[in-house]
Amino acid sequence: MSNIIDQLEKKRKEAREGGGKKRVAAQHARGKLTARERIDTLLDENSFEEYDMYVEHRTNDFGMGKKKYAGDSVVTGSGKINGKLVYVFSQDFTVFGGSLSEAHAEKICKIMDMALKVGAPVIGINDSGGARIQEGVASLAGYGDVFQKNVLASGVIPQISVIMGPCAGGAVYSPAMTDFIFMVKDTSFMFVTGPDVVKTVTQENVTQEELGGAKTHTSKSSVADGAFANDIETLFEVKKLIDLLPSNNREKSLKKKTEYQNLNPDYSLDTLVPDNPNKPYDMLELITKVIDNRDFFQVQENFAKNMIVGFGRVEGRTVGFVANQPLVLAGCLDIDASKKAARFVRFCDCFNIPLVTFVDVPGFLPGVSQEHNGIIKNGAKLLYAYAEATVPKITIITRKAYGGAYVVMASKHLRGDINYAWPTAEIAVMGAKGAVEILYRNQIKNEKDAETKTDEYTKQFANPFIASSRGFIDDVIKPQNTRRRIATALDNLENKELSSPYKKHDNIPL
């Protein structure tokens, strides 16, 4: 028996060494952790249960029969993050450059099946040179199998991708179908075709970083949701996100037992909105003052900055926040902001996370570029997302809510549950100046007439009380009481039930 145990320990030691000390040292020299070090950093101590440690690839072409490593370029298993069960795979760049083989894909598919079976999140750590060329179509088939699992798991369990090295070609499409993507600055890249191919085909000279680095994908393409300084910081951000999310679509929004501040009035909010309607203010200040301990997990912080989305807790309960940001483009809705918010709203609806929406929106951004690039369909994505969402929806209008943008931003007309307004709210078809120019175009003879009519329109329409008289606003609240009113509304809506007509699936305007 002791001989067999010795053999087992030897085999395990070989598997844990990955591609060997020389390749591990090369990985460290690039400022990157190894596949197993990443798992150890991510999971609670001694919680990792590894599966398929001894799996090897099955090809003999191109001399591959003589090059076999236990585990074959990916480490898979289950573990816990702050006590919560998760499944994880971590590609091992020290073994064949982390390339995906048929066996590699089977290992990933197995843990995804297990995660679906028990209702636990999946975290994929990507660091791979792509499909293993020596295996040809077998490796491509492996990618296809993984993609299918991603689709089946979508909306059932949270899927998080962490890009910690190269991710190119077909490999990019699995992360693209997951719920969140995090990248490491300077050491991670994502692109369908690399710089050399781009230069050959289009004659464009571009670096890896410019083409598909973390900065590009968090600020321009919106492929990634966050970028962080190094492997350790990135993994700790993943831990924070997992801590906020339910494990599956059957769980309610998490209500964590933790210390947080009371619901006493915050008088500073009474002066947040400036007297001058054209002066901006920071909506992030409002969000951080209504959530527990000012701890806000912002998503896609550097993309479409005129829209803020992210997670926070209210009395321990995870809530998704969507808000216009008056500091950027006056909080207008444009193509990028609409897509960003729509994706976030749909995720929250998938996983029973209540939505709180703060509204200060003067309308959709005008312009030829916006129209030609599809603001109509892209704006409709956000409208559609809010309209189909059945989770508790609480909306607070802080200042401007004009035109179609008022309707789109979680209005009562899109099955909003509780819709509040601050006394500073202006709910109208358009701003006073534009309305007067249309309504009194034949009566205005000079600037004084225009000012008089604008003042009259502002007093009559630029307030929340007409909408309140129709029942479109449930109450006009004092800003100082916003946190308490949100907390009460969330408690009241905890057992909300709302169904939609039967359908195979919807057809959102993509």
Side-chain angles (χ1 to χ4, degrees):
M1 176 64 86
S2 60
N3 186 42
I4 295 173
I5 291 175
D6 288 343
Q7 289 180 35
L8 173 63
E9 285 303 319
K10 182 182 177 183
K11 195 80 172 172
R12 283 185 171 177
K13 184 181 177 184
E14 288 174 0
R16 292 190 183 110
E17 288 175 351
K21 293 180 180 179
K22 187 176 179 181
R23 287 175 182 168
V24 168
Q27 182 86 341
H28 288 161
R30 298 186 190 101
K32 297 161 65 177
L33 299 177
T34 65
R36 293 179 182 279
E37 288 169 343
R38 288 164 176 166
I39 289 175
D40 290 341
T41 303
L42 178 67
L43 300 180
D44 296 348
E45 191 173 358
N46 298 322
S47 71
F48 183 52
E49 294 286 331
E50 186 170 352
Y51 308 129
D52 294 333
M53 178 185 273
Y54 313 113
V55 166
E56 298 176 347
H57 71 75
R58 298 184 288 272
T59 185
N60 293 310
D61 296 327
F62 304 102
M64 289 293 287
K66 299 176 183 178
K67 302 175 185 176
K68 293 197 175 184
Y69 297 86
D72 193 41
S73 74
V74 66
V75 182
T76 60
S78 66
K80 293 186 175 179
I81 294 178
N82 297 328
K84 181 188 292 185
L85 176 66
V86 298
Y87 285 80
V88 61
F89 70 83
S90 182
Q91 293 179 322
D92 188 351
F93 196 79
T94 70
V95 177
F96 301 123
S99 60
L100 185 135
S101 67
E102 185 178 28
H104 178 135
E106 287 170 354
K107 288 180 66 174
I108 294 174
C109 289
K110 181 189 279 191
I111 63 147
M112 292 185 74
D113 283 338
M114 296 172 82
L116 274 168
K117 194 183 298 180
V118 301
V122 168
I123 301 166
I125 301 173
N126 295 262
D127 187 2
S128 167
R132 193 169 299 170
I133 298 171
Q134 294 92 331
E135 292 201 14
V137 72
S139 63
L140 298 181
Y143 272 128
D145 293 338
V146 174
F147 300 160
Q148 183 63 64
K149 299 294 183 186
N150 289 134
V151 174
L152 293 174
S154 182
V156 181
I157 53 175
Q159 299 179 83
I160 299 171
S161 295
V162 194
I163 314 301
M164 295 193 138
C167 183
V172 299
Y173 291 111
S174 177
M177 288 185 286
T178 59
D179 298 305
F180 296 99
I181 298 175
F182 296 109
M183 297 183 72
V184 183
K185 294 176 183 177
D186 302 323
T187 60
S188 66
F189 310 97
M190 292 180 77
F191 32 67
V192 175
T193 52
D196 293 339
V197 175
V198 169
K199 183 177 181 180
T200 301
V201 176
T202 69
Q203 309 306 310
E204 295 171 287
N205 285 308
V206 64
T207 65
Q208 278 191 325
E209 183 64 36
E210 292 168 337
L211 183 63
K215 184 177 179 180
T216 296
H217 285 314
T218 52
S219 63
K220 293 181 180 179
S221 71
S222 82
V223 167
D225 298 286
F228 307 99
N230 52 53
D231 283 16
I232 292 175
E233 184 182 340
T234 305
L235 293 168
F236 270 86
E237 290 298 317
V238 173
K239 289 163 74 82
K240 283 175 64 178
L241 178 58
I242 285 290
D243 210 33
L244 286 160
L245 302 181
S247 291
N248 56 67
N249 62 357
R250 298 185 299 276
E251 287 188 1
K252 286 190 174 182
S253 175
L254 292 180
K255 193 164 185 179
K256 189 174 183 180
K257 291 181 180 178
T258 182
E259 289 188 12
Y260 47 80
Q261 73 274 29
N262 56 39
L263 300 178
N264 292 341
D266 187 337
Y267 296 102
S268 68
L269 293 179
D270 290 345
T271 55
L272 178 64
V273 175
D275 293 332
N276 182 346
N278 296 316
K279 188 175 179 181
Y281 60 95
D282 191 356
M283 190 66 86
L284 268 173
E285 182 180 343
L286 171 56
I287 295 173
T288 55
K289 285 181 176 178
V290 301
I291 62 177
D292 296 348
N293 308 321
R294 301 194 174 213
D295 188 11
F296 185 51
F297 190 95
Q298 193 168 350
V299 176
Q300 292 200 338
E301 182 178 355
N302 295 314
F303 178 75
K305 293 183 178 181
N306 46 322
M307 182 68 79
I308 301 168
V309 300
F311 300 102
R313 286 193 174 93
V314 178
E315 290 195 298
R317 179 189 283 108
T318 297
V319 176
F321 286 87
V322 180
N324 307 112
Q325 174 57 288
L327 288 177
V328 182
L329 295 175
C332 275
L333 287 175
D334 63 356
I335 290 171
D336 290 343
S338 298
K339 291 193 295 184
K340 171 181 174 177
R343 171 81 170 162
F344 182 78
V345 167
R346 297 194 94 206
F347 174 84
C348 290
D349 191 45
C350 283
F351 294 102
N352 309 310
I353 299 171
L355 285 160
V356 171
T357 304
F358 290 117
V359 182
D360 186 351
V361 61
F364 283 90
L365 185 67
V368 174
S369 174
Q370 287 290 306
E371 295 292 352
H372 286 186
N373 286 294
I375 184 63
I376 295 171
K377 256 196 170 179
N378 286 289
K381 290 175 184 175
L382 181 54
L383 187 160
Y384 199 104
Y386 270 125
E388 73 170 347
T390 60
V391 292
K393 292 183 284 191
I394 301 162
T395 303
I396 298 98
I397 300 172
T398 60
R399 187 165 61 177
K400 296 173 183 174
Y402 292 162
Y406 150 71
V407 179
V408 168
M409 290 297 294
S411 65
K412 182 67 75 175
H413 323 288
L414 302 183
R415 302 195 295 186
D417 294 300
I418 302 294
N419 292 67
Y420 292 135
W422 284 6
T424 46
E426 304 172 13
I427 305 168
V429 174
M430 61 177 64
K433 187 173 183 295
V436 165
E437 288 174 355
I438 293 171
L439 293 170
Y440 303 105
R441 66 175 60 150
N442 297 323
Q443 300 175 37
I444 294 175
K445 295 176 181 172
N446 53 53
E447 194 172 320
K448 187 176 180 182
D449 286 347
E451 288 179 4
T452 301
K453 292 295 184 185
T454 300
D455 288 342
E456 290 175 359
Y457 184 92
T458 300
K459 289 176 183 176
Q460 187 172 356
F461 295 105
N463 61 66
F465 299 106
I466 292 177
S468 295
S469 71
R470 292 293 190 95
F472 303 151
I473 297 296
D474 296 300
D475 196 6
V476 180
I477 66 173
K478 293 179 181 179
Q480 62 188 255
N481 293 327
T482 303
R483 173 172 159 81
R484 177 175 63 81
R485 299 300 291 266
I486 290 173
T488 301
L490 289 168
D491 283 341
N492 292 344
L493 293 165
E494 185 169 8
N495 295 317
K496 172 187 174 183
E497 290 186 7
L498 180 64
S499 60
S500 298
Y502 168 79
K503 60 185 81 173
K504 183 178 179 183
H505 59 73
D506 55 43
N507 189 22
I508 188 170
L510 294 174

